[in-house]
Amino acid sequence: MAQWTSAVGAAQLARLLGSQQDRPAGPGTRRPPAYRALADGIRLLVLEGRVPVAARLPAERELALALSVSRTTVAAAYEALRGEGFLESRRGAGSWTAVPAGNPVPARGLEPLPPEALGSMIDLGCAALPAPEPWLTRAVQGALEELPPYAHTHGDYPAGLPALRAMIADRYTQRGIATMPEQIMVTTGAMGAIDAICHLFGGRGERIAVESPSYANILQLMREAGARLVPVAMAEGLTGWDLDRWRQVLREAAPRIAYVVADFHNPTGALADEDQRRRLVDAARSAGTVLVADETMSELWLDEDVEMPRPVCAFDPAGSTVITVGSASKAFWAGMRIGWVRAAPDVIRSLVAARAYADLGTPVLEQLAVNWLFGTGGWEEAVELRRTQARQNRDELVSAVRRELPGWEFEVPRGGLTLWVRTGGLSGSRLAEAGERVGVRVPSGPRFGVDGAFEGYVRLPFTVGGAVAEEAAARLAAAARIVETGGTTGGEAPRTFVA
């Protein structure tokens, strides 16, 4: 019986390996043998989760042909990987990826580090801040006071608590978007909302257009749902969408869904203006594409003079094209797993009906906590605290990176939680690996792209500041030196660092 559960084709593997291009070797830098470079490339793909564990690799002859190298090179690379525990083989069954005993299985998304690892590792993988106290505690206390009447019911509210649905609808109406409670479904975070939308509109094999780059966890969710992702490149810098490219993709690929982040895009921080929003909605309507607008960052403007455009759904008065997703997780706290969908009532009814086969509903106590925040003004005060914290972290992280890594390039976004950094020609995947060795965890650019794009980037979140930001930048600089020279850390363990 074969031990592999999926397969990676020769052309696909060659494309992924081809994205891992380091800068040219400088004087005195020794390049590894071809087989060693190939083995390292495959190992990185496994460690990144871009090639799954237990995936069958191409036969030696097939991969040699796809890479234009000798079969001897591929055979030697496979043998090296077997010796290191990253490959297993059996006659008649082929070779499949593995991880050495004692190593964690690589994650496909961006999961936070467990608390016990935070003493020695600075985590720049997860774009989430600690809770804005005292508002979390007050919200939970307020929710407990409101809980008794609900405790006398079955507790299942597939569409969400009526009080919270009405509150969210009122908030949209106050923003100038007339909304009824029947247009709202409360979900378990934004991920739960988008998962439900993808299952309703984007069955296996359906095309979904996505910004390139885009949020890594959403891309992985869509891949695992069986979607065919169609990337659409962002415009340069922080200028938002390239509408000519969007019109071309919508016209030629006819995707069933398009997923966009208009407000402080993750990972670039771009803010789409009103004209871009209007034109994209018009193009999606003409193509018959459902436009899913992710608003999870919409309240995280960090500069006081930012003028926020109207929501994307403002340009779809009939409600036939745009589905909006919101969440408490970014603006308030990632542990508050409350999200919502705003859509036409018939879409909400379909989503609610389909939910019976998923998670049935969202926890009542957390819904009551968010409703308390919305109803008392606590939300606005908590989010303002969050903006202040993120703004200070942003400025301190930017200053530290510019000092330690002057060759890295980025534009400073005016909101959101992430900095999208071009790494001066270094491989983001190799930086991520070297960072783990020197005590800083950073996600590489390809996690935010399709088929190996953005190898020359990393994403840095505004989750650390002060001395921790200084130390994080210093460790990133150490990782960059390792990648540049092909060297090692010399066995030195990362220092324990307590903020």
Side-chain angles (χ1 to χ4, degrees):
M1 179 179 176
Q3 301 298 308
W4 48 273
T5 57
S6 62
V8 180
Q12 179 188 6
L13 185 55
R15 188 163 57 248
L16 291 170
L17 289 166
S19 71
Q20 297 179 334
Q21 298 299 320
D22 291 328
R23 62 172 55 181
T29 301
R30 298 178 60 185
R31 284 195 175 278
Y35 85 89
R36 184 69 261 173
L38 175 56
D40 287 348
I42 294 174
R43 177 173 52 81
L44 278 173
L45 292 174
V46 173
L47 289 172
E48 282 266 294
R50 290 194 283 147
V51 169
V53 175
R56 186 179 185 275
L57 295 187
E60 294 170 2
R61 190 185 303 276
E62 293 175 2
L63 185 57
L65 185 63
L67 294 174
S68 299
V69 299
S70 72
R71 183 177 176 181
T72 302
T73 296
V74 177
Y78 279 12
E79 182 59 34
L81 290 168
R82 277 190 288 269
E84 296 163 4
F86 285 95
L87 197 68
E88 296 181 9
S89 304
R90 196 173 67 204
R91 187 178 298 277
S95 299
W96 56 91
T97 56
V99 292
N103 280 37
V105 175
R108 303 297 297 277
L110 301 176
E111 291 77 12
L113 281 174
E116 62 269 19
L118 294 177
S120 60
M121 183 73 70
I122 297 176
D123 186 8
L124 298 182
C126 186
L129 290 160
E133 288 287 28
W135 296 107
L136 174 62
T137 298
R138 292 180 182 177
V140 173
Q141 291 170 341
L144 287 171
E145 293 175 2
E146 299 292 331
L147 183 61
Y150 295 93
H152 293 293
T153 73
H154 50 65
D156 286 335
Y157 296 88
L161 294 184
L164 181 56
R165 296 176 73 196
M167 185 71 74
I168 294 170
D170 286 346
R171 290 174 66 83
Y172 277 105
T173 300
Q174 292 166 14
R175 295 167 68 188
I177 317 297
T179 303
M180 304 178 294
E182 292 79 9
Q183 291 178 263
I184 301 296
M185 181 177 87
V186 181
T187 63
T188 307
M191 291 288 288
I194 293 168
D195 182 55
I197 294 166
C198 287
H199 279 89
L200 181 63
F201 289 98
R204 186 164 293 276
E206 290 280 6
R207 295 185 180 91
I208 299 181
V210 294
E211 297 151 323
S212 184
S214 187
Y215 179 37
N217 287 341
I218 293 295
L219 294 181
Q220 191 58 35
L221 181 155
M222 292 174 174
R223 289 187 188 102
E224 294 186 359
R228 298 162 61 189
L229 300 183
V230 183
V232 186
M234 295 287 288
E236 288 297 318
L238 301 176
T239 55
W241 300 317
D242 185 325
L243 267 300
D244 289 338
R245 290 177 177 171
W246 268 107
R247 277 192 292 265
Q248 180 182 2
V249 166
L250 293 173
R251 182 176 62 250
E252 296 178 359
R256 186 72 181 91
I257 302 173
Y259 168 77
V260 297
V261 184
D263 304 295
F264 308 119
H265 173 258
N266 186 351
T268 68
L271 177 65
D273 62 32
E274 287 207 1
D275 184 57
Q276 289 175 320
R277 296 170 191 231
R278 179 185 298 106
R279 291 161 62 196
L280 184 56
V281 171
D282 290 345
R285 184 183 299 115
S286 298
T289 296
V290 175
L291 186 62
V292 180
D294 185 335
E295 287 191 335
T296 54
M297 298 281 193
S298 64
E299 295 190 62
L300 291 176
W301 63 85
L302 303 184
D303 295 337
E304 297 296 338
D305 59 345
V306 173
E307 293 186 12
M308 291 299 296
R310 286 178 290 171
V312 175
C313 59
F315 305 98
D316 181 37
S320 59
T321 300
V322 177
I323 297 178
T324 303
V325 171
S327 172
S329 298
K330 293 297 185 185
F332 185 76
W333 184 47
M336 187 68 77
R337 305 304 305 160
I338 298 295
W340 52 86
V341 178
R342 181 199 180 274
D346 61 318
V347 172
I348 295 297
R349 286 193 293 272
S350 296
L351 289 170
V352 171
R355 193 171 195 179
Y357 309 101
D359 63 357
L360 293 178
T362 302
V364 169
L365 188 63
E366 292 185 29
Q367 292 187 71
L368 289 172
V370 172
N371 194 57
W372 183 92
L373 287 165
F374 285 157
T376 62
W379 177 268
E380 284 71 25
E381 293 198 40
V383 173
E384 182 56 40
L385 181 63
R386 170 69 78 240
R387 291 191 197 107
T388 300
Q389 187 178 16
R391 182 187 309 117
Q392 180 175 343
N393 286 353
R394 179 197 63 181
D395 295 346
E396 291 171 349
L397 182 66
V398 164
S399 176
V401 173
R402 281 177 170 162
R403 181 172 57 257
E404 295 286 345
L405 293 150
W408 288 17
E409 302 172 35
F410 52 84
E411 291 191 45
V412 181
R414 307 192 68 192
L417 290 172
T418 58
L419 190 67
W420 187 236
V421 181
R422 184 182 287 114
T423 56
L426 298 180
S427 161
S429 298
R430 297 180 188 277
L431 280 166
E433 184 195 30
E436 295 272 357
R437 292 154 59 190
V438 298
V440 60
R441 181 174 181 258
V442 59
S444 65
R447 287 181 176 269
F448 304 88
V450 177
D451 281 342
F454 307 109
E455 185 62 54
Y457 289 81
V458 294
R459 190 195 73 172
L460 306 180
F462 308 143
T463 53
V464 297
V468 184
E470 300 278 349
E471 180 68 14
R475 293 185 186 186
L476 284 171
R481 288 193 293 271
I482 292 172
V483 175
E484 285 179 319
T485 63
T488 68
T489 60
E492 180 183 354
R495 292 173 289 173
T496 298
F497 190 86
V498 180

